């Protein structure tokens, strides 16, 4: 997540012309990447929630029993 | 374009009164259930993941998000979106680093986590200083925003508007505690998401539901530069600094962290962050459409004509696409937004004052439930009075800037100590304490020395510190101080205490009452 976001911020900081490139009429590369950062955040958090609720919690329960 | 903004709007007032009556009704219901400090601070840990997800979103999507970002995008295009994106990416950080350990180890405030493994008194005092600084700046921003909004929308004087917000918020928190505050957040989040979606759809209907057609018309009207990074982030290091503060600040906001104590366990805490991220991300995607919609349909000159900061872009857009009734609805939603955020902030401030300072430090954790509740309520009244006074004193300040300040302090003061206390065995009391103090002081000092204060407000010719956002200096500094002090003066007993707590940190305990 931090890689995606800081990649984006560093592009904003150091390579403005690249982000200003138009992908298609009305859509610059910067706006496309910005929207993608939000979508990546969705995918990452929900993947984690699903993984943790099924696998991680089960392992924790086992650890608790071994007290 | 003539606008009904600035005249009393019957529909806005009606919607607003309905919201107030409904939320006060909930407060009355909640007050019957609020008998202990546990209920007052954490709603008896009875909130579900979906509810807490909405409430987190409600706490987070402040007036700065709705009015501020819509205005920023309308006036500067792409640059405004940097705020949207930065505010969202804080959430995965909260999820991966903070949410579950916080739930497992704390009771009412995030300082509980540090106090569990370090010496209570110095830690709680330092954490209270950082928290109260964040809350103060955040409260000022919301109160100033509320005052301006109500003055523009309902034609009421600024001071009267600030007093009304303070009084209604006081009623929620004082009588209903966390239960009422949570429900107010949930209603507000639903209203805000619904209202913003409706507004975005009405805008898009003018462009055949194709956002690209909207963005294309914006670049035809104002030049292709609106779609690419520009003036707001002219300095590369400043851009990175802003990004850091926006991202890490979320994980240091006391009123957000407090929400993790309202759910029964770590699993629910985790799932609620998933919901919150989904809602907030969706909302920030809408801001793309709202901002560019206002740019095209209203025009920049008309927006700055009403309010120089651009804060009225969203209400103006509502009027343009849906007439006066829709303006009334969106105005009421914006007001409800501010009211709910102020309530959440006040509650977390009350928790800091009464739980961290009074009960734990002054009374040495010997206060009974009755006394805790009395002190918490007294702290609420005090904070409401202070926030009304601050709101009036800071009349005319820039809202987005004050919120940025709050995020920078949160990221420098609270975040490093909290993360290190969860993950680093060798952190000592002195290390955490000095990190929180250095973080708070350096962030405040650098903001004072920045061009925003020195050049824009004090009209000096130059500033000692070149950056507008202190994050890139103050956040690493706070980490370095914590690690340096802990390594220079190690405390073996505190490292052992961490080993004992690690189990509870990751596994949680069956009953939170085992913790004191």
């Amino acid at each position: 997540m931090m890689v995606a976001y800081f990649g984006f911020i560093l592009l904003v900081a150091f390579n403005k012309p690249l982000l200003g490139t138009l992908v298609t009429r009305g859509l610059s590369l910067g706006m496309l990447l910005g929207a993608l950062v939000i979508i990546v955040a969705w995918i990452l958090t929900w993947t984690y929630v699903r993984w943790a609720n099924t696998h991680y919690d089960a392992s924790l329960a086992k650890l608790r029993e071994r007290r | 374009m003539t606008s009904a903004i600035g005249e009393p709007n019957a529909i806005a007032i009606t919607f607003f009164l309905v919201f107030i009556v409904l939320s006060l009704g909930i407060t009355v219901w909640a007050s019957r259930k609020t008998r202990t400090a546990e209920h007052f601070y954490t709603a008896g840990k009875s909130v579900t993941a979906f509810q807490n997800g909405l409430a987190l979103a409600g706490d987070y999507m402040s007036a700065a998000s709705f009015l501020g970002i819509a205005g920023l995008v309308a006036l500067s295009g792409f640059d405004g979106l940097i705020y949207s994106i930065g505010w969202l990416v804080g959430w995965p950080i909260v999820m991966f680093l903070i949410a579950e350990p916080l739930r497992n180890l704390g009771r009412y405030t995030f300082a509980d986590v540090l106090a569990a493994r370090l010496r209570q008194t110095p830690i709680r005092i330092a954490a209270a200083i950082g928290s109260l600084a964040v809350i103060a700046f955040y409260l000022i921003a919301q109160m100033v925003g509320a005052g301006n909004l109500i003055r523009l929308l309902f034609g009421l004087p600024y001071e009267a508007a600030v007093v009304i917000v303070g009084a209604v918020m006081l009623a929620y928190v004082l009588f209903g505690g966390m239960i009422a505050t949570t429900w107010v957040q949930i209603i507000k989040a639903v209203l805000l998401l619904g209202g913003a979606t409706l507004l975005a759809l009405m805008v898009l209907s003018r462009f055949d539901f194709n956002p690209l057609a909207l963005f294309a018309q914006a670049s035809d009207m104002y030049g292709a530069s609106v779609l690419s990074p520009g003036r707001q982030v002219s300095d590369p290091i400043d851009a990175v600094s802003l990004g850091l503060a926006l991202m890490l600040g979320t994980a240091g906001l006391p009123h957000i962290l407090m929400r993790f104590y309202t759910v029964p366990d770590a699993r629910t805490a985790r799932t609620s962050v998933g919901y919150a991220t989904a809602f907030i991300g969706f909302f920030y995607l809408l801001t793309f459409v709202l901002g560019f919609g206002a740019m095209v349909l209203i025009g920049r000159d008309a927006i700055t004509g009403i309010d120089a900061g651009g804060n009225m872009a969203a209400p103006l857009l509502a009027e343009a696409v849906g007439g006066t009734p829709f303006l009334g609805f969106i105005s009421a939603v914006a007001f409800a937004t501010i009211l709910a955020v102020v309530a959440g902030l006040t509650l977390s401030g009350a928790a800091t004052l009464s739980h961290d300072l009074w009960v734990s430090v002054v009374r040495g954790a010997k206060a009974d439930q009755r006394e805790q509740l009395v002190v918490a309520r007294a702290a609420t009244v005090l904070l409401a009075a202070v926030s009304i006074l601050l709101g009036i004193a800071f009349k005319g300040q820039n809202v987005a800037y004050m919120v940025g300040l709050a995020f920078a302090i949160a990221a420098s003061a609270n975040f490093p100590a909290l993360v290190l206390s969860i993950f680093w065995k060798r952190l000592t009391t002195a290390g955490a304490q000095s990190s929180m103090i250095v973080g708070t002081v350096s962030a405040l000092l650098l903001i004072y020395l920045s061009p925003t204060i020195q050049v824009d407000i004090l009209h000096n010719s130059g500033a000692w510190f070149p950056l507008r956002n202190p994050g890139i200096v103050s956040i690493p500094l706070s980490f370095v101080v914590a690690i340096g002090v802990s390594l220079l003066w190690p405390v073996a007993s505190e490292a052992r205490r961490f080993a004992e707590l690690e189990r509870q940190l990751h596994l949680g305990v069956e009953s939170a009452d085992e913790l004191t």
Side-chain angles (χ1 to χ4, degrees):
Chain A
M1 189 66 237
M2 294 179 82
V3 173
Y5 177 58
F6 272 93
F8 176 73
I9 284 292
L10 290 174
L11 278 178
V12 170
F14 294 105
N15 200 342
K16 292 195 183 72
L18 175 69
L19 290 184
T21 322
L22 289 186
V23 179
T24 166
R25 202 179 123 68
L27 186 69
S28 67
L29 187 61
M31 292 181 57
L32 180 66
L33 289 177
L36 279 179
V37 169
I38 293 185
I39 290 163
V40 166
W42 275 345
I43 295 171
L44 274 178
T45 46
W46 275 102
T47 313
Y48 173 73
V49 168
R50 292 195 65 116
W51 169 79
N53 283 356
T54 48
H55 301 296
Y56 184 61
D57 271 356
S59 320
L60 286 186
K62 273 192 204 127
L63 276 175
R64 258 183 229 122
E65 282 164 18
R66 270 204 329 226
R67 192 193 277 259
Chain B
M1 194 184 94
T2 54
S3 164
I5 278 181
E7 288 150 31
N9 178 329
I11 292 147
I13 293 170
T14 311
F15 275 123
F16 183 66
L17 287 179
V18 169
F19 175 79
I20 299 261
V21 169
L22 191 67
S23 51
L24 285 178
I26 288 171
T27 307
V28 170
W29 165 76
S31 68
R32 299 212 183 110
K33 302 178 87 174
T34 305
R35 301 202 185 286
T36 62
E38 189 81 28
H39 283 114
F40 188 81
Y41 294 130
T42 69
K45 300 193 196 311
S46 58
V47 179
T48 67
F50 185 75
Q51 290 169 343
N52 196 45
L54 270 176
L56 279 168
D59 250 329
Y60 200 63
M61 296 183 296
S62 66
S65 301
F66 182 46
L67 302 175
I69 295 184
L72 268 177
V73 176
L75 299 183
S76 56
F78 179 87
D79 288 354
L81 298 177
I82 295 172
Y83 281 87
S84 301
I85 296 160
W87 268 324
L88 180 76
V89 292
W91 284 94
I93 306 289
V94 170
M95 167 80 98
F96 297 140
L97 298 181
I98 308 272
E100 297 167 42
L102 194 71
R103 176 65 199 82
N104 283 337
L105 212 50
R107 273 187 92 180
Y108 301 147
T109 66
F110 84 93
D112 290 343
V113 173
L114 291 115
R117 58 168 294 201
L118 303 169
R119 278 190 297 124
Q120 282 232 27
T121 309
I123 281 299
R124 287 198 190 268
I125 294 173
I129 293 170
S131 297
L132 291 174
V134 175
I135 291 168
F137 284 106
Y138 217 117
L139 261 180
I140 294 170
Q142 302 300 324
M143 291 305 252
V144 172
N148 283 327
L149 185 71
I150 296 170
R151 185 174 54 82
L152 285 168
L153 294 176
F154 302 97
L156 277 172
Y158 176 89
E159 286 78 7
V162 169
V163 172
I164 291 175
V165 173
V168 178
M169 169 275 284
L170 179 65
Y172 293 156
V173 180
L174 191 61
F175 300 111
M178 187 52 114
I179 302 175
T181 307
T182 301
W183 279 103
V184 169
Q185 300 293 9
I186 292 173
I187 297 175
K188 161 254 171 115
V190 171
L191 280 176
L192 183 57
L193 286 166
T197 308
L198 196 58
L199 182 54
L201 286 176
M202 288 167 86
V203 170
L204 285 177
S205 71
R206 309 252 178 128
F207 298 90
D208 302 324
F209 292 99
N210 177 6
L212 298 188
L214 166 64
F215 302 151
Q217 192 171 339
S219 76
D220 288 346
M221 286 169 74
Y222 295 99
S225 65
V226 295
L227 301 180
S228 61
R231 202 175 51 83
Q232 298 258 343
V233 285
S234 49
D235 183 67
I237 300 170
D238 225 353
V240 176
S241 190
L242 174 70
L244 261 180
L246 294 181
M247 182 171 82
L248 303 180
T250 307
L253 293 176
H255 65 300
I256 297 290
L257 298 177
M258 192 176 177
R259 289 233 144 265
F260 293 113
Y261 300 128
T262 64
V263 294
D265 51 32
R267 181 193 177 101
T268 320
R270 174 198 303 146
T271 313
S272 69
V273 183
Y275 283 118
T277 311
F279 293 134
I280 297 168
F282 173 69
F283 178 75
Y284 284 146
L285 283 177
L286 290 179
T287 59
F288 285 45
V289 173
L290 300 184
F292 282 105
M295 186 193 286
V296 170
L297 296 176
I298 316 289
R300 284 178 175 173
D301 295 338
I303 295 170
T304 49
I306 299 267
D307 177 78
N311 290 322
M312 288 299 121
L316 279 170
L317 184 63
E319 189 179 30
V321 295
T324 314
F326 199 48
L327 166 69
F329 176 68
I330 288 292
S331 307
V333 168
F335 195 14
T337 292
I338 294 180
L339 205 52
V341 172
V342 170
L345 283 166
T346 305
L347 187 62
S348 68
T352 301
L353 281 175
S354 64
H355 173 65
D356 285 341
L357 288 183
W358 179 260
V359 176
S360 301
V361 174
V362 179
R363 298 297 307 265
K366 288 201 180 60
D368 61 18
Q369 285 288 343
R370 223 184 96 77
E371 181 181 338
Q372 288 191 34
L373 204 53
V374 170
V375 175
R377 287 189 162 138
T380 308
V381 176
L382 178 75
L383 279 165
V386 169
S387 65
I388 290 173
L389 290 178
L390 286 176
I392 292 171
F394 281 78
K395 181 179 179 177
Q397 287 296 317
N398 181 309
V399 174
Y401 166 67
M402 299 298 280
V403 171
L405 210 73
F407 268 78
I409 302 168
S412 324
N414 299 343
F415 178 73
L418 185 57
V419 163
L420 288 174
S421 79
I422 292 171
F423 293 101
W424 195 46
K425 189 172 110 181
R426 295 165 76 179
L427 181 72
T428 64
T429 304
Q433 191 187 12
S434 43
S435 155
M436 286 190 278
I437 305 242
V438 166
T440 312
V441 173
S442 65
L444 285 173
L445 193 68
L446 290 177
I447 288 162
Y448 179 72
L449 298 176
S450 75
T452 316
I453 297 267
Q454 294 292 327
V455 179
D456 298 352
I457 295 177
L458 299 177
H459 303 293
N460 291 339
S461 57
W464 289 305
F465 184 67
L467 303 179
R468 286 180 184 275
N469 196 297
I472 201 167
V473 177
S474 58
I475 300 170
L477 182 69
S478 178
F479 270 109
V480 166
V481 166
I483 295 171
V485 171
S486 299
L487 288 180
L488 280 177
W489 295 280
V491 182
S493 62
E494 288 181 349
R496 276 199 301 279
R497 174 83 181 128
F498 180 69
E500 289 163 20
L501 276 176
E502 242 184 332
R503 183 185 175 86
Q504 186 184 337
L505 188 66
H506 296 297
L507 297 184
V509 276
E510 280 65 35
S511 149
D513 297 324
E514 291 171 31
L515 275 172
T516 322

